[in-house]
Amino acid sequence: MSAAGTDRVLVVVPTYNEKENLPRIVARVRAAVPAAHVLVADDSSPDGTGRIADDLAATDDHVHVLHRPGKAGLGAAYLDGFGWGVRNGFDVLVEMDADGSHLPEQLPDLLARIDAGADLVLGSRYVPGGSVVNWPRHREVLSRGGNTYVRLVLGIPLRDATGGYRAFRRTALEALGLADVASQGYCFQVDLAWRAVRAGLRVEEVPITFVERETGTSKMSRSIVAEALWRTTQWGARHRFEQLAAVVRRHPAQSDAGNRGSAG
């Protein structure tokens, strides 16, 4: 990616109890793309992750910290991080987990697609070249099944709409109408990807290697999965209804035209 573009890249890293992982992931991001900035969005982690983030920021002017009042969910953390990035003049905003499952060394691949003209680039586990490492079989089955469900219900051509390693142009985020986003977890990722597709933005997928975390505990829960299924089903039903309504609205016009032709 060009130096001019890289100077305006912000990697948003939400954290909650990630004190062991955070220093390593920040160091790897800074090594992979030295000109990029990192924003740690910490949800008042009781394990002291926020204090560690402050220490990192004190010694590196490319590291910043956004202290949030409490654990309010992944989606809210990213939205706050995006807002901070837009206000501070960044042109490309990246989502990345703090647990090492998203390899910072692959960030240049995402940024290269942005530099080539994409509005949103998804790091994909399920396109050719993508892979998952050390994931329990049931987690992979759930993830693949969820993405298949999303494609069928929403009618979008994306192989990995639930993944959380992605890069947005600022202009793309501004076009998505984020003020009414209330979804979290997997659902948040699906929501933004679907909004981008419906807005006619250029959405691309690049293969990534997803690695299961080595330390700490996963934030995934049944409630997050249930929310994703419920909201996706709602969105899909509404979308199909809108399509049907559009066909019905067009039908009388076609009938009228046929009647006028017969009368003539």
Side-chain angles (χ1 to χ4, degrees):
M1 190 170 184
S2 64
T6 306
D7 284 343
R8 302 189 193 90
V9 173
L10 179 69
V11 181
V12 181
V13 181
T15 55
Y16 186 78
N17 289 347
E18 296 286 0
K19 66 178 183 180
E20 295 176 336
N21 292 314
L22 183 63
R24 289 195 290 265
I25 205 69
V26 169
R28 289 170 63 188
V29 172
R30 296 287 290 115
V33 186
H37 291 245
V38 178
L39 174 66
V40 180
D42 185 65
D43 280 7
S44 298
S45 299
D47 73 344
T49 298
R51 292 193 298 273
I52 292 172
D54 286 335
D55 291 341
L56 294 171
T59 59
D60 187 342
D61 64 2
H62 277 48
V63 178
H64 316 274
V65 187
L66 178 62
H67 292 284
R68 289 163 36 82
K71 190 176 181 182
L74 183 70
Y78 273 129
L79 290 175
D80 281 354
F82 293 159
W84 188 96
V86 170
R87 291 193 299 274
N88 284 275
F90 290 93
D91 292 328
V92 179
L93 297 102
V94 176
E95 295 184 15
M96 182 184 292
D97 286 351
D99 60 13
S101 58
H102 299 149
L103 304 182
E105 294 75 18
Q106 295 183 320
L107 179 57
D109 297 337
L110 277 70
L111 298 181
R113 292 290 188 94
I114 290 288
D115 205 36
D119 296 301
L120 166 60
V121 180
L122 309 180
S124 177
R125 298 160 287 186
Y126 306 131
V127 295
S131 62
V132 175
V133 177
N134 295 332
W135 230 13
R137 180 60 179 168
H138 73 276
R139 285 286 300 277
E140 185 173 352
V141 169
L142 178 64
S143 176
R144 287 183 179 274
N147 276 288
T148 298
Y149 184 75
V150 167
R151 283 199 306 277
L152 293 174
V153 171
L154 299 182
I156 57 177
L158 303 175
R159 306 296 300 180
D160 196 356
T162 66
Y165 194 7
R166 48 183 63 182
F168 296 84
R169 287 186 184 275
R170 184 196 71 247
T171 51
L173 286 172
E174 292 171 340
L176 297 186
L178 300 182
D180 63 348
V181 172
S183 49
Q184 299 295 331
Y186 279 157
C187 193
F188 174 79
Q189 309 298 4
V190 174
D191 192 351
L192 266 59
W194 192 45
R195 287 173 186 241
V197 170
R198 295 188 77 188
L201 301 181
R202 180 173 162 184
V203 182
E204 299 186 9
E205 294 183 90
V206 297
I208 62 166
T209 299
F210 180 94
V211 182
E212 174 69 333
R213 67 161 63 229
E214 295 181 358
T215 61
T217 57
S218 173
K219 309 303 188 298
M220 185 55 57
S221 67
R222 290 183 180 180
S223 63
I224 290 175
V225 175
E227 182 205 16
L229 289 173
W230 172 243
R231 286 187 182 269
T232 298
T233 302
Q234 284 185 312
W235 296 333
R238 185 181 307 120
H239 180 52
R240 301 305 181 190
F241 178 81
E242 290 171 353
Q243 288 180 319
L244 179 60
V247 171
V248 171
R249 285 195 298 269
R250 287 196 299 268
H251 182 69
Q254 294 170 352
S255 297
D256 290 345
N259 291 336
R260 286 194 299 269
S262 298

